[in-house]
Amino acid sequence: MTQEPEQYSFDFHSETAEIVRDSEELKVKIGDFAGPLDLLLFLIRQEKANIFDIPIAKITDEYLNYIRLMKRLDIAVAADFLVMAAQLIEIKTKMLLPRDPLSQEEDESEDPRQELVDRLLEHEKFKTAAGMLYERSTLEQAVFTRGPIETDETNAEIDATVFDLLGVFQKILARHAEEVKMEIEREEISLSDMIRTLKDRIAAFGEVSLLVFFDEMQNRRELVTAFIAVLEIVKNGGVSLKQKGTFGDIILKSI
Amino acid sequence: MEEAVQQQPARTPAELMALAEALIFVADEPISTRLIAEVLGEDKGVIDAAIDELRREYAERGSGLQIREIAGGWQLATRTEFHEEIRTFLKTRPSAKLSIAALETLAVIAYKQPVTVPEILEIRGVQSASAIKTLLDKRLIVAKGRKETVGRPMMYGTSKEFLIQFGLKDLSELPSIEDFEDLVQ
Amino acid sequence: MEEAVQQQPARTPAELMALAEALIFVADEPISTRLIAEVLGEDKGVIDAAIDELRREYAERGSGLQIREIAGGWQLATRTEFHEEIRTFLKTRPSAKLSIAALETLAVIAYKQPVTVPEILEIRGVQSASAIKTLLDKRLIVAKGRKETVGRPMMYGTSKEFLIQFGLKDLSELPSIEDFEDLVQ
């Protein structure tokens, strides 16, 4: 049994862990295995093997067969499955090595399978816990709380988490990047155009809030042009500037 | 309502009362006798009787709630005598949700602090004055001195209250773009 | 809570029950005994007794509603038996279930909290990023600060919403993870 460790070349580019449903050739549905540990547990159970004494050579072969099958069916094999394949091959190789006759007492603690068994048991525990959560949530779905009432409106604490903050922030940045792009594409508005726009507005509404007008400007350059346009119009007469209190809005009014 | 539940072996009056009670409770606006009857696949008269009995029961046991007829339907509401206590309770609740504008402004301040109003405008692309006022009122942000540039604008940063409300020990606990990217891939 | 209602001539047990009932109804999330006691300016023990009696009363008269303890507070909800009729009325289906991956990730987070993404990977043997994102979006988990190790990864734990959605009084109500060991062959 001086078998060479098998060689496999997998492409590690495939990111998706999604495995399609059903295949006629198999008794099991591919896709029931969320991850490599689930697949291993399935194979062990199929072999009716004892989890504490896994026939590692056989299980490794079947595991690799399964991965080959997935590849043949053009199913992207997730990196996690490949990492496990490598680990299985390593354990299998270690099992084939002759044992050191001097350290027989430590045999058990040195079982190359031990770590894997621990992981499988731990994993299985959480799978069972997940099943319990599933049952609980199903039960909960049979219970309903009251419909909204008037006083609900005034309610609620800040209904946001730090991840909402981050999400919102990212959206703003994305929006901002978009605007910068648009800005580059937009034609620059000339001073005479700006003066015309402002005059038209004063003619139409009798007065214009400078706060509002400046706020409409999309960038610094437009803002500066708008500012000069205001100065021009005031200089040439026909309009007055009025401020509503210190630091208040400034209103441009036709006289 | 075509989907009415299949008529089971006749329901007892007590069951009908309990069902009517549950439906009135979950409805998001006053629910009519006719609608309850349709949902349960029962006669309107039977439901009428059940609701009558239910109302009587609520009144008799001196419940804190009452079943009242409003806008052609039935509704569960608190008894009017308790308005004072209820108002006291409502006041204990933190005040209203943040608007999107306020949340956005808060996000900019949290991640870019200390930051001035013009800088926030630059990033959000919209005036944020009223949002900043809201955040100051809620003590989620505080002034952090003035920036030594033209006009010496006020700089803002998040407050201790912000940390408390968002369950953070300190600002380094704010998720970073990297934390988020890890999750999206 | 300084604004507690002025103590009126002592309230009768029946009044306390009615008041507790009204407050539990008005509250839009589970309300604790402590908060009810504060709002009413009464002793916690007195309120405890009133709620006990109230629950008994609801059960005895075969109401369509129940008062249940959840997420550290009291909540008024429909009795499970009526879910079919209520669903017919609300025209809802059982809401979308979590995927197996999300449920497993949630189980790991619930039992190991606070826990980081690499730790979850170790237990599940699969990348869990998208499951974590789903759980965050559904507000079933929340960030719980950073772990003081290399890279300061974000730690996650379950939220109050988790308790509510899974009908738990508190985390101690979760069966011990060791109990599941016996089930593993």
Side-chain angles (χ1 to χ4, degrees):
Chain A
M1 281 245 298
T2 46
Q3 213 178 321
E4 287 267 308
E6 292 173 79
Q7 295 290 314
Y8 290 97
S9 64
F10 298 123
D11 60 329
F12 284 81
H13 301 296
S14 51
E15 286 281 339
T16 41
E18 291 299 310
I19 300 171
V20 292
R21 287 234 154 250
D22 251 332
S23 144
E24 301 301 320
E25 312 178 38
L26 291 167
K27 274 197 203 141
V28 233
K29 280 185 224 145
I30 301 178
D32 279 351
F33 308 112
L37 292 172
D38 299 292
L39 175 52
L40 264 182
L41 282 169
F42 167 77
L43 295 173
I44 291 167
R45 224 161 265 149
Q46 199 183 38
E47 282 300 311
K48 295 192 170 63
N50 180 351
I51 197 167
F52 294 101
D53 185 20
I54 303 171
I56 207 79
K58 185 148 183 43
I59 295 292
T60 301
D61 288 348
E62 285 187 16
Y63 185 91
L64 294 175
N65 273 336
Y66 204 92
I67 287 188
R68 270 190 222 104
L69 180 70
M70 282 161 78
K71 293 200 76 78
R72 206 166 68 231
L73 295 173
D74 251 350
I75 296 161
V77 179
D80 304 309
F81 282 87
L82 305 179
V83 171
M84 178 57 74
Q87 280 168 6
L88 285 174
I89 293 166
E90 193 193 333
I91 296 173
K92 185 175 147 188
T93 313
K94 275 190 189 157
M95 301 280 291
L96 293 173
L97 292 177
R99 298 212 174 148
D100 182 352
L102 297 175
S103 61
Q104 261 176 358
E105 285 141 318
E106 290 172 56
D107 256 2
E108 248 175 71
S109 61
E110 286 209 341
D111 190 329
R113 298 171 296 183
Q114 193 55 49
E115 199 197 321
L116 181 64
V117 171
D118 289 345
R119 276 193 76 190
L120 284 171
L121 288 175
E122 184 78 351
H123 178 70
E124 180 91 275
K125 260 194 318 200
F126 285 97
K127 281 189 81 69
T128 318
M132 177 275 299
L133 287 180
Y134 177 81
E135 276 163 28
R136 282 206 87 104
S137 73
T138 308
L139 267 176
E140 272 312 293
Q141 295 208 346
V143 176
F144 297 81
T145 53
R146 70 160 164 76
I149 56 176
E150 232 173 284
T151 53
D152 290 349
E153 304 266 311
T154 54
N155 158 50
E157 59 220 69
I158 296 168
D159 196 13
T161 68
V162 283
F163 279 94
D164 293 322
L165 271 189
L166 179 66
V168 161
F169 186 58
Q170 280 188 304
K171 267 193 212 127
I172 297 169
L173 292 185
R175 200 170 68 202
H176 195 49
E178 193 82 354
E179 272 166 15
V180 170
K181 226 164 71 193
M182 279 165 52
E183 219 168 82
I184 295 165
E185 286 160 8
R186 192 173 31 231
E187 279 183 46
E188 279 176 14
I189 180 166
S190 69
L191 179 59
S192 56
D193 284 344
M194 190 68 87
I195 292 174
R196 199 173 314 122
T197 308
L198 189 53
K199 274 185 173 163
D200 288 350
R201 182 95 61 103
I202 296 169
F205 298 103
E207 62 174 51
V208 167
S209 152
L210 284 194
L211 254 187
V212 171
F213 185 63
F214 287 152
D215 200 24
E216 286 167 15
M217 299 306 129
Q218 305 285 348
N219 53 41
R220 266 161 220 255
R221 178 178 288 275
E222 277 187 22
L223 197 57
V224 171
T225 313
F227 187 64
I228 297 172
V230 171
L231 293 181
E232 279 296 312
I233 290 176
V234 173
K235 195 176 71 187
N236 294 336
V239 292
S240 70
L241 280 174
K242 278 220 175 73
Q243 186 169 25
K244 293 178 178 167
T246 325
F247 305 124
D249 192 6
I250 297 173
I251 305 293
L252 204 52
K253 251 187 152 133
S254 61
I255 302 172
Chain B
M1 206 135 300
E2 338 72 56
E3 302 189 57
V5 173
Q6 222 50 27
Q7 183 85 19
Q8 290 121 350
R11 298 180 178 109
T12 66
E15 273 174 337
L16 282 173
M17 277 168 64
L19 274 164
E21 189 182 14
L23 290 175
I24 293 170
F25 174 76
V26 297
D28 57 2
E29 47 186 44
I31 178 174
S32 66
T33 308
R34 192 185 45 73
L35 185 51
I36 297 176
E38 271 178 20
V39 169
L40 300 181
E42 301 275 356
D43 280 347
K44 199 169 155 298
V46 176
I47 300 301
D48 253 336
I51 293 175
D52 266 356
E53 180 58 21
L54 195 61
R55 297 183 76 181
R56 210 179 48 72
E57 197 190 73
Y58 265 82
E60 267 178 17
R61 73 181 164 96
S63 164
L65 308 175
Q66 55 172 324
I67 292 185
R68 55 177 193 167
E69 193 167 12
I70 194 163
W74 302 102
Q75 185 190 55
L76 204 54
T78 56
R79 245 166 58 194
T80 47
E81 302 93 289
F82 298 149
H83 71 271
E84 213 177 315
E85 287 88 348
I86 288 167
R87 200 166 301 142
T88 307
F89 163 68
L90 293 176
K91 272 195 232 153
T92 67
R93 296 191 300 187
S95 51
K97 289 182 191 182
L98 288 177
S99 64
I100 297 280
L103 194 63
E104 280 193 15
T105 307
L106 185 58
V108 172
I109 293 174
Y111 281 98
K112 290 280 185 180
Q113 60 187 303
V115 64
T116 67
V117 174
E119 286 161 358
I120 298 170
L121 166 65
E122 177 74 16
I123 296 173
R124 283 194 62 218
V126 235
Q127 288 291 346
S128 309
S130 79
I132 289 170
K133 180 150 186 323
T134 306
L135 296 173
L136 282 170
D137 288 348
K138 290 187 188 288
R139 296 163 187 279
L140 290 169
I141 59 168
V142 286
K144 296 259 177 185
R146 294 189 179 277
K147 186 158 186 172
E148 293 307 331
T149 57
V150 188
R152 303 188 71 235
M154 188 63 82
M155 297 185 294
Y156 295 95
T158 53
S159 65
K160 196 169 169 186
E161 179 64 24
F162 167 80
L163 295 178
I164 296 171
Q165 294 262 3
F166 284 87
L168 300 167
K169 246 190 285 171
D170 53 54
L171 285 175
S172 76
E173 291 203 338
L174 269 180
S176 67
I177 308 285
E178 290 73 39
D179 286 319
F180 204 73
E181 273 164 3
D182 287 348
L183 296 181
V184 219
Q185 285 160 13
Chain C
M1 219 128 296
E2 335 73 54
E3 302 190 57
V5 174
Q6 221 50 29
Q7 184 82 21
Q8 290 121 351
R11 298 178 177 113
T12 65
E15 273 174 336
L16 283 173
M17 277 168 63
L19 276 164
E21 189 183 14
L23 289 175
I24 292 170
F25 173 77
V26 168
D28 60 355
E29 50 178 59
I31 180 173
S32 67
T33 309
R34 191 187 46 72
L35 183 53
I36 297 175
E38 272 178 17
V39 168
L40 300 181
E42 301 275 357
D43 280 347
K44 204 171 150 296
V46 177
I47 300 300
D48 256 334
I51 293 175
D52 267 357
E53 182 58 22
L54 194 61
R55 299 183 76 181
R56 210 179 49 74
E57 197 189 75
Y58 265 81
E60 271 179 13
R61 74 179 162 95
S63 164
L65 309 175
Q66 56 171 327
I67 291 182
R68 56 180 207 151
E69 193 171 10
I70 194 166
W74 301 100
Q75 185 191 55
L76 203 53
T78 59
R79 251 165 55 191
T80 48
E81 300 92 293
F82 299 144
H83 70 101
E84 223 176 302
E85 287 88 346
I86 294 169
R87 220 164 260 148
T88 306
F89 167 61
L90 294 176
K91 297 200 179 76
T92 58
R93 297 163 195 294
S95 58
K97 297 260 166 70
L98 290 171
S99 68
I100 302 230
L103 266 174
E104 280 187 24
T105 306
L106 187 57
V108 174
I109 293 173
Y111 280 100
K112 291 277 184 179
Q113 60 186 309
V115 64
T116 66
V117 173
E119 288 161 358
I120 298 169
L121 166 66
E122 177 65 27
I123 294 174
R124 290 198 57 226
V126 221
Q127 292 294 344
S128 309
S130 77
I132 290 171
K133 177 117 194 338
T134 306
L135 297 172
L136 279 170
D137 287 348
K138 291 189 187 288
R139 291 166 191 275
L140 292 170
I141 61 168
V142 287
K144 295 263 177 183
R146 293 184 181 280
K147 187 158 185 169
E148 295 306 331
T149 56
V150 188
R152 301 189 73 231
M154 190 65 84
M155 297 187 291
Y156 298 94
T158 52
S159 64
K160 191 170 177 179
E161 184 63 23
F162 166 78
L163 295 177
I164 294 175
Q165 295 254 340
F166 288 84
L168 296 163
K169 264 187 253 184
D170 52 52
L171 284 175
S172 72
E173 253 210 325
L174 279 177
S176 134
I177 189 72
E178 308 313 328
D179 291 345
F180 295 125
E181 217 151 295
D182 309 334
L183 301 174
V184 181
Q185 7 14 357

